[in-house]
């Protein structure tokens, strides 16, 4: 279907040629030497040249990279909820978004381990300006979300994107991952942008869009990192927004964020997948006739699932207590965990800048604040 050529990942028939284009690239060598340090270059190059599908590339190479990332830069990944998903079934995973690369990589690694359909995943085209990264993204079944468009172009792009997502889910039995809003959450406040749902609904083949949302099997995803390896890198943008200033990214900022996310220390990580949003949609339709309000209610339903199932770590409770100058959650962490977090603060944040300090703490504390909105959620 040529109409999707500008945004789609590679077809399997294109995979081997794409690998030939990047096999000598120094970043491919770095990736492979990191993932399989004991394997000679000629061996992995030979294996790559025998790869003729995205699935083979993901299972034999990207999955190994994910395991190595977890081994080198975390204290392990735990998961929950995957037992409720059915095999050979496609789902639309709507997820909170913390790390450019890892959120989808770790979700797919877990889906693979459970024998479930892996995802095609949305990625902003601003993140793959380097040709190597674009090829790698398309090899890893990423499809492009075009950024920086005029309103008219944005409408056309959204329609194409929604049709492609519908094509994957309904006709190719391919699961899809999409973030609940544009860009990563930088302040710890995870919230679904109703505009994302409206974009998805543009491809509806039902008279009522809520029937379409039932059909595409929406699954909320909550991912949390004990330490965000890019926390300090997110601060300049947060500070600019706090001062009502326009934030302009540095030239290689996105690439730096990708590297820091992969290699930086994360400690523990948890991914929870919720149940398919189904009866909740029936309740929304029964309560509300206005289509726009129905979409808002669905966004809230996704938020409720993401936030109630979000795994809080000692770092979240420590930040909350430091920010609010309290010991309310002292029973949730040890003195050693607190001193480690305070040491991180000292190394990363200028304590003479109270706004910066407050923003950093809020990034970790806000998930606690958000979970407090739900009775007995803590």
């Amino acid at each position: 279907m040529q109409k999707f050529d500008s945004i789609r990942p590679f077809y399997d028939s294109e995979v081997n040629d794409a690998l030939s284009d990047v096999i000598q690239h120094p970043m491919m060598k770095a990736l492979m030497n990191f993932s399989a340090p004991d394997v000679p270059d000629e061996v992995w190059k030979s294996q790559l040249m025998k790869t003729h599908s995205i699935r083979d590339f993901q299972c034999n190479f990207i999955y190994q990279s994910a395991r190595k990332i977890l081994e080198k830069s975390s204290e392990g990944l735990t998961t929950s909820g995957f037992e409720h998903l059915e095999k050979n079934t496609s789902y639309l995973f709507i997820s909170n978004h913390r790390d450019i690369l890892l959120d989808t990589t770790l979700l797919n690694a877990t889906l693979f381990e459970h024998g479930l359909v892996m995802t095609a995943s949305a990625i902003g085209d601003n993140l793959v300006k380097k040709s190597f990264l674009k090829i790698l993204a398309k090899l890893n079944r990423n499809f492009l979300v075009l950024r920086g468009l005029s309103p008219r172009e944005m409408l056309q792009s959204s329609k194409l994107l929604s049709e492609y997502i519908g094509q994957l889910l309904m006709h190719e039995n391919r699961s899809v991952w999409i973030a609940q809003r544009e860009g990563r959450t930088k302040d710890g406040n995870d919230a679904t942008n109703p505009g994302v749902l409206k974009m998805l609904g543009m491809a509806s083949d039902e008279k009522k869009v809520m029937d379409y949302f039932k059909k595409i099997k929406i699954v909320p995803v909550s991912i949390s990192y004990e330490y965000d390896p890019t926390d300090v890198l997110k601060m300049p943008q947060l500070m600019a927004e706090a001062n009502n200033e326009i934030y302009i990214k540095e030239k290689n900022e996105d690439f730096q964020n990708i590297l820091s996310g992969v290699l930086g220390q994360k400690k523990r990580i948890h991914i929870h997948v919720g149940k398919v949003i189904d009866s909740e949609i029936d309740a929304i339709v029964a309560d509300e006739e206005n289509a726009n309000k129905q979409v808002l209610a669905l966004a809230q339903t996704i938020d409720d699932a993401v936030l109630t199932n979000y795994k809080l770590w000692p770092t979240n409770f420590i930040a909350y207590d430091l920010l609010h100058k309290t010991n309310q959650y002292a029973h949730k962490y040890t003195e050693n965990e607190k001193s480690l977090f305070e040491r991180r603060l000292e190394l990363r944040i200028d304590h003479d800048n109270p706004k910066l300090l407050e923003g950093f703490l809020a990034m970790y504390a806000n998930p606690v604040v958000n979970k407090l909105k739900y009775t007995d959620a803590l």
Side-chain angles (χ1 to χ4, degrees), residues 324-373:
H324 298 280
K325 298 181 172 55
T326 177
N327 290 313
Q328 184 176 347
Y329 293 111
H331 61 289
K332 297 280 191 180
Y333 52 84
T334 65
E335 279 303 313
N336 185 49
E337 286 168 333
K338 185 178 182 182
S339 63
L340 281 173
F341 185 79
E342 288 177 323
R343 177 75 177 139
R344 186 181 183 88
L345 264 181
E346 283 174 27
L347 292 172
R348 294 191 161 217
I349 296 296
D350 176 6
H351 282 240
D352 293 332
N353 186 335
K355 224 173 187 180
L356 198 63
L357 180 62
E358 186 178 317
F360 188 92
L361 289 173
M363 183 190 298
Y364 282 95
N366 281 334
V368 178
V369 176
N370 291 327
K371 202 143 183 171
L372 282 170
K373 296 169 188 171

Side-chain angles (χ1 to χ4, degrees), residues 3-225:
K3 68 191 289 188
F4 301 127
D5 281 356
S6 62
I7 61 171
R8 66 169 176 81
F10 290 124
Y11 293 134
D12 283 346
S13 59
E14 300 167 326
V15 164
N16 199 254
D17 286 344
L19 287 168
S20 298
D21 288 342
V22 295
I23 197 164
Q24 302 297 344
H25 197 287
M27 284 184 68
M28 182 58 84
K29 175 177 168 62
L31 175 67
M32 292 302 166
N33 289 168
F34 171 81
S35 306
D38 300 326
V39 177
D41 287 5
E42 60 270 19
V43 173
W44 62 254
K45 284 182 179 179
S46 170
Q47 289 172 336
L48 267 184
M49 291 323 300
K50 292 173 187 168
T51 300
H52 291 272
S53 74
I54 285 182
R55 182 175 175 82
D56 282 352
F57 180 68
Q58 286 184 312
C59 298
N60 297 330
F61 296 96
I62 298 300
Y63 177 72
Q64 302 309 321
S65 299
R67 299 312 309 175
K68 187 60 73 173
I69 289 165
L70 288 172
E71 177 193 320
K72 293 260 189 188
S73 69
S74 82
E75 291 180 8
L77 168 68
T78 52
T79 63
S80 52
F82 286 85
E83 66 277 7
H84 299 302
L85 301 178
E86 295 180 12
K87 296 191 175 179
N88 304 315
T89 303
S90 62
Y91 298 97
L92 174 62
F93 295 102
I94 298 185
S95 174
N96 71 325
H97 187 23
R98 294 301 173 85
D99 186 90
I100 292 171
L101 215 58
L102 282 188
D103 294 356
T104 50
T105 302
L106 297 179
L107 174 65
N108 272 321
T110 308
L111 290 169
F112 171 62
E113 288 174 350
H114 283 79
L116 298 161
V117 176
M118 290 189 286
T119 72
S121 303
I123 188 169
D125 67 342
N126 57 302
L127 300 173
V128 290
K129 291 202 186 303
K130 294 178 188 289
S131 61
F132 174 81
L133 290 179
K134 188 171 185 178
I135 291 171
L136 193 63
K138 292 173 72 173
L139 282 167
N140 203 28
R141 205 175 263 115
N142 287 120
F143 57 91
L144 300 180
V145 180
L146 306 183
R147 305 284 195 217
L149 304 176
S150 70
R152 187 166 176 273
E153 290 170 328
M154 178 66 78
L155 185 64
Q156 292 171 330
S157 175
S158 295
K159 193 165 189 328
L160 184 70
L161 190 60
S162 67
E163 286 178 17
Y164 183 61
I165 290 170
Q167 166 73 17
L168 291 168
L169 291 165
M170 307 301 298
H171 302 291
E172 297 184 21
N173 198 38
R174 171 63 54 196
S175 290
V176 171
W177 177 96
I178 192 165
Q180 63 185 170
R181 69 190 217 200
E182 182 180 332
R184 292 169 298 149
T185 306
K186 298 178 180 70
D187 59 3
N189 284 315
D190 298 309
T192 303
N193 181 350
V196 170
L197 299 178
K198 288 176 182 174
M199 178 276 291
L200 293 166
M202 291 171 86
S204 173
D205 53 0
E206 298 285 343
K207 284 184 180 177
K208 295 178 179 175
V209 74
M210 296 304 278
D211 291 334
Y212 179 68
F213 287 139
K214 275 192 78 164
K215 202 157 75 172
I216 58 177
K217 299 190 186 74
I218 295 172
V219 172
V221 179
S222 312
I223 182 162
S224 63
Y225 300 84

Side-chain angles (χ1 to χ4, degrees), residues 300-337:
Q300 185 60 57
T301 300
I302 294 167
D303 289 351
D304 293 344
V306 169
L307 296 172
T308 53
N309 293 309
Y310 186 93
K311 171 89 172 169
L312 293 172
W313 301 108
T315 48
N316 301 117
F317 294 111
I318 293 163
Y320 181 96
D321 280 355
L322 290 173
L323 186 62
H324 298 280
K325 298 181 172 55
T326 177
N327 290 313
Q328 184 176 347
Y329 293 111
H331 61 289
K332 297 280 191 180
Y333 52 84
T334 65
E335 279 303 313
N336 185 49
E337 286 168 333

